[in-house]
């Protein structure tokens, strides 16, 4: 059985390792644009210089799995074509290309490896008193702004978003704003309409008409899915995520499992807590098929959301299995430790294929 895994993030890596464990004679090839496994949940740390996001992919994959550096251009009938012109046949495929960012002109995206490296280099050139603007009031923007403020207290860090921490409960939202304030982050609830330049300075303009100078402007919104599925003619939802059946298989090609940020699974949030169980479940289903058994429907429930506020503070928001938030949250150093534990568990799960999750709401 020839299996191609496209994308070695959380979903693709756990899928490859879990399948290799369960079907040792499967011929598995993982295709990824970099020779590294990138922990996207640590890209803000990579930018601030407080952590490292890249681990050699070879050290993450089980013996016997082939890895190939490359970018898949199209998926055809049982065959993938890479941008370098090479092509590879498959009997089954895991599509695990994640999500990406479409940054506004004049900004640098934090959600891609290349953007994070550019942001890290830009940050190193800034002097005391310079302003950094982070666009995006979701968890990625909050984590990025607080990480930068903690690592570079000499800079003026601003976080701009039309709403801040909207996915959290009202109490948790207030606590996040207090944590940001403690770190010296200026929070601006508004929308950025343009990042232009005036007499050599970069100027951020807001919908309210306000504007300010920003030496480095970061785009911390993850919303877009790579165009591979569209180019390959796979059926997608309006966000460009691949439509799947209850077993996580593409609705127009049962040989293709779509997992992680790029899969359109009802109620699924863009996060590693979604990507890991989907990758694991799809691998389990392919193992069942290989053994002549029936695949099983996917079911997964959330327990909460965790975020860091610099290295010493954080917040864990409790949620119901359907991802609606509860009032309960914890914050402070214990939450920072818990968030670090969540990040480590996601990487551990990808590497070892040992990963447990709770079933979804009935
Ligand atoms: C700064 C930041 C902080 C975050 N914090 C959290 C957090 O605290 N908790 C949380 O749950 N989530 C967090 N997220 C979101 C989380 O990182 C993503 O939801 C998660 O990485 C999705 O996993 P994935 O495997 O679907 O995709 P990814 O991890 O994005 O992996 C996709 C892989 O596919 C590769 N790829 C793309 N196109 C192709 C192609 N054409 N051919 C071959 N390979 C391709 C990519 O290069 C990448 O290696 C954060 C994200 C960022 C940016």
């Amino acid at each position: 059985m020839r299996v191609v895994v496209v994308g070695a993030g959380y979903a693709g890596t756990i899928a490859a390792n879990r399948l290799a464990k369960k079907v040792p004679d499967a011929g598995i090839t993982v295709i990824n644009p970099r020779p590294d496994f990138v922990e996207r949940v640590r890209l803000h740390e990579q930018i601030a210089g407080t952590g490292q996001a890249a681990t050699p992919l070879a050290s993450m994959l089980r013996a016997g799995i082939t890895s190939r550096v490359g970018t898949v251009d199209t998926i055809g009938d049982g065959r993938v074509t890479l941008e370098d012109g090479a092509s590879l046949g498959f009997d089954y495929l895991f599509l695990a290309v994640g999500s990406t960012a479409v940054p506004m002109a004049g900004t640098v995206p934090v959600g891609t490896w290349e953007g994070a490296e550019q942001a890290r280099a830009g940050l190193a050139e800034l002097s005391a008193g310079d302003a950094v603007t982070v666009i995006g009031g979701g968890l990625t923007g909050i984590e990025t702004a607080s990480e930068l403020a903690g690592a570079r207290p000499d800079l003026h860090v601003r976080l701009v978003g039309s709403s801040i921490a909207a996915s959290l409960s009202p109490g948790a939202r207030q606590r996040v704003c207090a944590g940001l304030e403690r770190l010296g982050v200026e929070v601006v609830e508004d929308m950025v309409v343009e990042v232009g330049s005036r007499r050599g300075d970069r100027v951020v303009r807001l919908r309210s008409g306000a504007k300010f100078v920003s030496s480095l402007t970061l785009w911390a919104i993850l919303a877009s899915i790579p165009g591979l599925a569209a180019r390959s003619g796979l059926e997608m939802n309006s966000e460009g995520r691949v439509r799947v059946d209850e077993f996580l298989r593409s609705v127009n090609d049962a040989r293709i499992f779509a997992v992680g940020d790029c899969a359109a699974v009802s109620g699924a949030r863009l996060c590693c807590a979604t990507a890991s169980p989907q990758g694991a479940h799809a691998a389990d289903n392919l193992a069942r098929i290989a053994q002549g058994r029936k695949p099983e429907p996917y079911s997964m429930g959330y327990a909460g959301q965790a975020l860091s506020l610099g290295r010493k503070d954080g917040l864990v928001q409790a949620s119901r299995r359907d991802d609606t938030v509860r009032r309960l949250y914890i914050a402070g150093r214990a939450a920072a430790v818990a968030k670090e534990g969540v990040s480590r568990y996601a990487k551990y799960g990808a590497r070892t294929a040992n990963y447990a999750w709770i079933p979804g709401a009935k």
Side-chain angles (χ1 to χ4, degrees), residues 7 9-11 32-33 40-41 72 96-98 143 260-261 270-272 275 339:
Y10 295 99
N32 196 57
R40 284 182 82 199
V41 303
V72 173
V97 290
E143 289 199 316
D261 283 358
L270 296 186
C271 69
C272 55
K339 167 68 208 277

Side-chain angles (χ1 to χ4, degrees), residues 115-183:
E117 281 296 275
Q118 195 187 334
R120 189 168 67 92
L123 196 69
E125 285 176 11
L126 300 187
S127 318
D130 283 345
V132 179
T133 306
V134 178
I135 302 175
L139 303 195
T140 304
I142 293 166
E143 289 199 316
T144 304
S146 47
E147 199 74 30
L148 296 185
R152 290 288 306 268
D154 59 318
L155 300 176
H156 180 163
V157 180
R158 224 182 246 121
L159 174 65
V160 187
S162 48
S163 59
I164 306 296
S167 66
L168 305 182
S169 63
R173 221 177 295 156
Q174 270 182 14
R175 175 59 179 82
V176 164
C177 288
L180 288 166
E181 197 181 323
R182 221 173 286 157
L183 285 162

Side-chain angles (χ1 to χ4, degrees), residues 1-181:
M1 180 170 71
R2 297 164 306 160
V3 180
V4 168
V5 180
V6 186
Y10 295 99
T13 304
I14 198 170
N17 283 328
R18 195 135 162 154
L19 185 69
K21 210 168 171 177
K22 298 199 166 189
V23 188
D25 59 352
I28 305 171
T29 304
V30 176
I31 305 173
N32 196 57
R34 299 185 47 74
D36 299 310
F37 170 81
V38 173
E39 282 179 87
R40 284 182 82 199
V41 303
R42 291 196 195 279
L43 284 178
H44 58 300
E45 299 172 31
Q46 176 89 14
I47 295 170
T50 52
Q52 293 218 337
T55 303
L57 187 53
S59 69
M60 294 289 295
L61 296 176
R62 284 176 83 86
I65 297 176
T66 304
S67 69
R68 181 165 183 159
V69 175
T71 300
V72 173
D73 180 55
T74 42
I75 303 167
D77 184 13
R79 183 157 284 278
V80 294
T81 307
L82 277 65
E83 282 183 355
D84 63 12
S87 84
L88 219 64
F90 67 84
D91 300 308
Y92 291 95
L93 180 139
F94 292 100
L95 181 63
V97 290
S99 57
T100 183
V102 183
M104 182 180 277
T107 71
V108 180
V110 305
T112 64
W113 170 262
E114 294 75 15
E117 281 296 275
Q118 195 187 334
R120 189 168 67 92
L123 196 69
E125 285 176 11
L126 300 187
S127 318
D130 283 345
V132 179
T133 306
V134 178
I135 302 175
L139 303 195
T140 304
I142 293 166
E143 289 199 316
T144 304
S146 47
E147 199 74 30
L148 296 185
R152 290 288 306 268
D154 59 318
L155 300 176
H156 180 163
V157 180
R158 224 182 246 121
L159 174 65
V160 187
S162 48
S163 59
I164 306 296
S167 66
L168 305 182
S169 63
R173 221 177 295 156
Q174 270 182 14
R175 175 59 179 82
V176 164
C177 288
L180 288 166
E181 197 181 323

Side-chain angles (χ1 to χ4, degrees), residues 40-359:
R40 284 182 82 199
V41 303
R42 291 196 195 279
L43 284 178
H44 58 300
E45 299 172 31
Q46 176 89 14
I47 295 170
T50 52
Q52 293 218 337
T55 303
L57 187 53
S59 69
M60 294 289 295
L61 296 176
R62 284 176 83 86
I65 297 176
T66 304
S67 69
R68 181 165 183 159
V69 175
T71 300
V72 173
D73 180 55
T74 42
I75 303 167
D77 184 13
R79 183 157 284 278
V80 294
T81 307
L82 277 65
E83 282 183 355
D84 63 12
S87 84
L88 219 64
F90 67 84
D91 300 308
Y92 291 95
L93 180 139
F94 292 100
L95 181 63
V97 290
S99 57
T100 183
V102 183
M104 182 180 277
T107 71
V108 180
V110 305
T112 64
W113 170 262
E114 294 75 15
E117 281 296 275
Q118 195 187 334
R120 189 168 67 92
L123 196 69
E125 285 176 11
L126 300 187
S127 318
D130 283 345
V132 179
T133 306
V134 178
I135 302 175
L139 303 195
T140 304
I142 293 166
E143 289 199 316
T144 304
S146 47
E147 199 74 30
L148 296 185
R152 290 288 306 268
D154 59 318
L155 300 176
H156 180 163
V157 180
R158 224 182 246 121
L159 174 65
V160 187
S162 48
S163 59
I164 306 296
S167 66
L168 305 182
S169 63
R173 221 177 295 156
Q174 270 182 14
R175 175 59 179 82
V176 164
C177 288
L180 288 166
E181 197 181 323
R182 221 173 286 157
L183 285 162
V185 176
E186 182 192 352
V187 175
V188 182
E189 288 206 51
D190 205 334
M191 264 183 77
V192 175
V193 290
E194 187 192 25
V195 180
S197 49
R198 194 188 52 189
R199 285 184 230 110
D201 282 333
R202 281 264 169 222
V203 177
V204 175
R205 287 175 209 282
L206 306 182
R207 190 166 55 184
S208 62
K211 56 183 179 222
F212 43 75
V213 169
S214 173
S215 303
L216 177 65
T217 306
L218 304 179
W219 183 259
I221 300 170
L222 309 177
S224 174
I225 308 298
L228 177 56
R231 286 195 301 278
S232 308
L234 297 177
E235 201 174 313
M236 302 172 307
N237 69 5
S238 58
E239 297 169 299
R241 297 165 100 177
V242 176
R243 285 195 199 283
V244 290
D245 64 14
E246 59 182 331
F247 310 114
L248 301 178
R249 299 182 303 199
S250 155
V251 292
N252 39 8
D253 189 336
R255 296 169 294 182
I256 299 176
F257 290 86
V259 285
D261 283 358
C262 68
V265 175
S266 174
R269 182 164 29 102
L270 296 186
C271 69
C272 55
T274 303
S276 303
Q278 287 185 6
H281 185 82
D284 290 353
N285 267 348
L286 184 46
R288 288 184 188 103
I289 291 167
Q291 291 151 5
R293 295 188 290 140
K294 283 190 174 157
E296 287 186 4
Y298 175 68
S299 171
M300 176 263 177
Y302 291 99
Q305 301 173 54
L307 72 148
S308 59
L309 294 164
R311 291 297 84 204
K312 296 178 186 151
D313 192 10
L315 188 135
V316 178
Q317 165 76 69
S319 69
R320 298 178 192 86
R321 290 182 194 202
D322 65 2
D323 210 24
T324 54
V325 292
R326 295 180 186 276
R327 275 174 61 189
L328 179 73
Y329 67 88
I330 60 160
R333 200 175 275 271
V337 171
K339 167 68 208 277
E340 176 58 26
V342 169
S343 300
R344 287 186 189 197
Y345 184 56
K347 183 179 181 187
Y348 165 86
R351 183 173 56 79
T352 62
N354 295 323
Y355 190 91
W357 66 94
I358 55 174

